Amino acid sequence: MNTLRKWCRLLHRHLSYLFSGVLIIYLISGIAMNHKDTFNSQYDITVTQYTLSQPLPSKETVDKKYIVENILRDIDEEKNYTKHYYPNDSALKVFLKSGSNLIIDTATGDVTYEKIRRRPILGAMSRLHYNPGRAWTIFSDIFAISMLIVIITGLFMMKGKNGLIGIGGIELIIGIAFPLLLCII
C-alpha cells in the first residue's frame, strides 16, 4: 500500500504542476462566463449616440463613398465599411468590420454607434470553452483524463481518519451530491 501511495503522490504532483496553467485559464474565463448576463467576456461593446453635422441626402444618393467620406471618417472607421441598407424609410444601417454598426435616423440624423471590440486576453481564454478546433479537442481530452488521474491519486494519498474511509470520504460524497442536487432542483 505504501508503494501505491508513493506512485499516487508522484503522479498527483507532476500532473498538478503540468496542468495548473490550463486550470487557471479555465477558472478565470469560467468565472467571467458565469456572469455573461452582466459582463461580456469576449467583447467590449460601447454604444455612443450623436447627431450628424449635416442631414442625409436622399436614399438614392447615399452610397459607399458617401458613407465612408461623410459618416465613417468622423469616427475613424472609414477603412472598416462592409455594407449598408435601409431596414425601413426612417433608418439607415451601416455595418463595419468586427461587427460594429451604426443606425442612423434618416429624418433627424441621430446616430446610434455600437462599437464592438474583441477583448484580447479574456476573449481568447473564453473562446477555449467553445472548443475552437480539433487540436484543442485532443488537448482538452488529455487534460480531462489527467484531472481524473489527479483526483483519483489524491483520493488514495491520505490514510486513516483523514483519508477516503474517514473525513475525506464524507467530503467526497458531499462534493458529488451537491452538484447532483443542483441539477435535479
Side-chain angles (χ1 to χ4, degrees), residues 4-171:
L4 174 64
R5 283 195 183 87
K6 178 183 173 187
W7 279 103
C8 285
R9 279 193 300 277
L10 186 72
L11 272 172
H12 189 89
R13 180 178 64 237
H14 289 294
L15 289 176
S16 293
Y17 281 127
L18 184 63
F19 288 106
S20 289
V22 179
L23 199 50
I24 289 168
I25 289 170
Y26 260 128
L27 293 171
I28 292 169
S29 57
I31 290 168
M33 291 181 70
N34 281 344
H35 300 280
K36 59 184 165 188
D37 58 332
T38 57
F39 175 76
N40 188 329
S41 62
Q42 295 194 9
Y43 298 98
D44 178 26
I45 302 170
T46 55
V47 177
T48 308
Q49 297 191 339
Y50 64 95
T51 302
L52 294 175
S53 56
Q54 58 188 8
L56 279 175
S58 67
K59 187 191 261 189
E60 295 77 26
T61 58
V62 174
D63 59 2
K64 175 184 176 179
K65 183 179 180 202
Y66 178 85
I67 292 171
V68 168
E69 290 176 1
N70 297 290
I71 300 171
L72 298 182
R73 186 168 288 146
D74 293 340
I75 57 172
D76 294 325
E77 291 280 11
E78 65 271 12
K79 294 179 183 173
N80 295 322
Y81 173 91
T82 56
K83 66 180 179 177
H84 73 278
Y85 83 107
Y86 287 85
N88 56 51
D89 289 337
S90 64
L92 166 63
K93 187 160 187 175
V94 180
F95 295 95
L96 305 173
K97 294 174 185 169
S98 82
S100 299
N101 66 79
L102 292 93
I103 299 174
I104 305 166
D105 184 315
T106 56
T108 64
D110 291 338
V111 179
T112 301
Y113 172 35
E114 183 180 62
K115 186 174 184 176
I116 300 172
R117 297 288 177 243
R118 180 175 281 282
R119 294 184 192 277
I121 296 170
L122 194 55
M125 289 168 46
S126 297
R127 189 170 163 255
L128 297 177
H129 290 272
Y130 296 110
N131 198 358
R134 180 84 177 124
W136 183 253
T137 300
I138 293 167
F139 178 81
S140 61
D141 287 346
I142 292 167
F143 172 69
I145 292 166
S146 297
M147 289 301 97
L148 283 172
I149 292 169
V150 166
I151 291 166
I152 292 167
T153 56
L155 293 175
F156 293 104
M157 284 172 44
M158 297 297 289
K159 59 182 175 179
K161 66 178 183 170
N162 293 323
L164 193 55
I165 59 170
I167 190 72
I170 295 168
E171 292 169 343

